[in-house]
Structures are given as structure tokens and as C-alpha cells.
Amino acid sequence: MTATRGQGLRADAARNYERIVVAAGQAFEEVGPAVTLEEVARRAGVGVATVYRRFRNRDQLVRAVFEQLVTAEIEPATAMETDDPWRDLVGALESTVDVLARRQVVLALARETDAVDVESVRRFVHSMERPLRRAAAAGVVRPELEARDLAAVTVMALATVHPGDPGGADRRRYLALLIDGLRPAPTTLPPPLTREVGGV
């Protein structure tokens, strides 16, 4: 077990782990990246020694927060299935962008600490493969699309997030524009550069 995972802990330790990670995520967004582990402990209702036992430093805590975000909020959205493959695919992209747009401090910290690494990008791309395959089989998306194209769409949409747009109007507008480009078209997309998925 690593310090960034709560699996394998006894029940009370697992509960404390979860409380610490949730409290840290909220504290990062509300207080900012400089929040102390002492403040996280206070918000989680545990002793600071408990936080330090689980996380030796802030980077480990950031990784745990980002992992929890992916596991609890992003992956369930990509796993949703209805009888409308297009809506499922669009819903997965919209949910992913919305979640990450609301967590800008955590996302920035995750990038700083390399929590957003090749493996995390590969994990997201893998989660998008099934909704993309279903949409392609239904003929509602370009047949040449790859799952990593959806990771790029997510990154491009997040690039439009800015403090002057707290309601997300720009984000929704440009994500809709990007999503429209996923639909079948008379022209074929140029081939992508062959590289590791983490290079998206």
C-alpha cells in the first residue's frame, strides 16, 4: 500500500484517510495551495499526527486528492450507459470538464506534483474507450476518432476556464464547439503524431 491509497487499511483508519482526503480537497480550493497539513487535520477532525502518518508531505496528499477526484467523480461519469451512445459520450466529456473546472487549484497542484502523469492520462483515455466505441458503432462520431482525442478535447476545453467567468459560460460554449467536431464529417482528420498517450 502506498501513502496515497486508502485500500487495505482497517475500517477506522480507512475512514480517517477518507476524511483527510476530502478535507484536503476542500481546503485547497477554499484556502489555496499554501494550506497547511495542520489546517487539513483541523478540518478533517483528526490529530495532525494522523495526517503525517498517512502523508509524509503535501505532494503525497495532493496525489491522493487528485486520485480520489478521478475515482469518485470522473470515472463514474465515463461508465454511465443509456440507450443513447452520443449522449453518453457527450455527458462523460461534460462531466469531466465540469469536475476539473471546479477544482482548478487541485488541478494546478496535481500538475505541479506530477499527479497528472502518463499513468493518470492513460487511465482517463482507457475509461473513454468504451463510450467512444459505442458511439462509433452507432455511427454518431467520426470513425477515425481515438480515445486520446477526447483527452485532448478535455484539455482544450479546460484552457478556456478563467476567473472572469465563474458561471462557466465560455467553458460550455467552447466545449460545445469542440464536441460538434466529433460528429461525422465529409473530410477525414489528419493522422495524429505517434507517441505515448501521456504526451496528449
Side-chain angles (χ1 to χ4, degrees), residues 72-81 88 91-93 95-96 99 128 131:
E73 299 190 50
I74 292 177
E75 288 182 341
T78 65
M80 289 288 292
E81 287 190 11
D88 292 344
L93 285 169
S95 294
T96 297
V99 166
M128 293 299 295

Side-chain angles (χ1 to χ4, degrees), residues 54-129:
R54 297 285 170 240
F55 308 98
R56 291 193 301 274
N57 53 50
R58 191 190 66 158
D59 286 3
Q60 287 190 344
L61 184 54
V62 169
R63 283 179 170 272
V65 169
F66 186 71
E67 182 177 290
Q68 193 265 353
L69 184 66
V70 172
T71 301
E73 299 190 50
I74 292 177
E75 288 182 341
T78 65
M80 289 288 292
E81 287 190 11
T82 69
D83 58 359
D84 186 342
W86 170 256
R87 188 60 246 169
D88 292 344
L89 181 64
V90 170
L93 285 169
E94 289 176 340
S95 294
T96 297
V97 171
D98 285 349
V99 166
L100 294 175
R102 293 195 306 268
R103 304 294 183 85
Q104 285 295 291
V105 176
V106 168
L107 184 57
L109 287 171
R111 287 168 174 156
E112 283 178 21
T113 58
D114 292 327
V116 183
D117 55 11
V118 171
E119 182 54 37
S120 64
V121 175
R122 183 179 288 118
R123 183 172 159 185
F124 172 71
V125 168
H126 177 73
S127 73
M128 293 299 295
E129 285 175 352

Side-chain angles (χ1 to χ4, degrees), residues 36-43 48 52:
T36 64
L37 294 188
E38 287 78 6
E39 172 64 13
V40 170
R42 186 189 67 77
R43 286 170 174 250
V48 69
Y52 279 101

Side-chain angles (χ1 to χ4, degrees), residues 6 9 12-24 44 55 68 72:
L9 298 174
D12 59 337
R15 282 193 298 271
N16 282 342
Y17 179 95
E18 182 70 15
R19 287 162 65 184
I20 292 166
V21 172
V22 170
F55 308 98
Q68 193 265 353

